[in-house]
Amino acid sequence: MRRKISGFLFILGLMTASCGGSDPERFILKNKEVARVEGCHLFMDSWNAADDRGRRWAGLEFVCDVPESAQNEKEWWGDKPHPLAFTMGVGECLVLGKKFYCLEKIEPGEATFKATYEWVTRHHDHIKPLP
């Protein structure tokens, strides 16, 4: 009986991991927290749910090819120069790894990105939409 229960729990764990709430094609960047996506560290230090013209934007910094261990350090950018800050609006995209993650929505304290396109060739001469 014990073997059946542990086998059931193992299968349940696999189902939860593969069907659970996390979407690998989408991530939420929370204000003042470093996220790791496609080997890159991203940091949002400001956001605006809507400015006086109704536009939404987020103030970001990111760096790629840094060790995962740097994510929780004060200098989350690792041994690279401190990344420059920039703003992104809804609909704009970042290339992280082979995918283009587009800013889908901005809410108080968080920005949601979705993998929308990816490189088709290794020459990076055109992209295709993701399903």
Side-chain angles (χ1 to χ4, degrees):
M1 179 70 170
R2 185 176 202 145
R3 188 175 285 170
K4 286 183 181 180
I5 292 173
S6 64
F8 173 75
L9 292 175
F10 175 75
I11 291 170
L12 182 62
L14 284 177
M15 289 172 56
T16 304
S18 61
C19 302
S22 69
D23 181 354
E25 301 301 317
R26 184 176 272 119
F27 69 90
I28 296 173
L29 186 58
K30 297 196 179 285
N31 198 44
K32 304 291 186 192
E33 292 181 16
V34 178
R36 184 171 177 86
V37 178
E38 304 284 346
C40 301
H41 290 171
L42 295 96
F43 181 76
M44 180 173 66
D45 63 356
S46 61
W47 56 269
N48 182 352
D51 64 13
D52 57 347
R53 294 184 181 175
R55 295 175 299 202
R56 298 171 186 271
W57 54 265
L60 306 173
E61 300 171 25
F62 83 104
V63 63
C64 294
D65 301 322
V66 293
E68 188 172 358
S69 59
Q71 181 178 355
N72 297 316
E73 299 296 323
K74 181 179 177 185
E75 295 182 351
W76 53 266
W77 52 89
D79 61 356
K80 309 242 179 184
H82 188 283
L84 297 174
F86 61 96
T87 59
M88 280 186 75
V90 172
E92 296 178 339
C93 305
L94 284 174
V95 179
L96 302 174
K98 295 180 181 181
K99 295 180 182 172
F100 290 70
Y101 287 86
C102 300
L103 185 51
E104 191 173 51
K105 69 180 174 180
I106 300 171
E107 294 180 347
E110 62 186 43
T112 303
F113 289 80
K114 181 181 179 198
T116 309
Y117 304 98
E118 71 180 351
W119 291 116
V120 176
T121 68
R122 63 184 175 93
H123 302 293
H124 296 169
D125 53 7
H126 64 284
I127 60 177
K128 71 175 181 178
L130 292 169

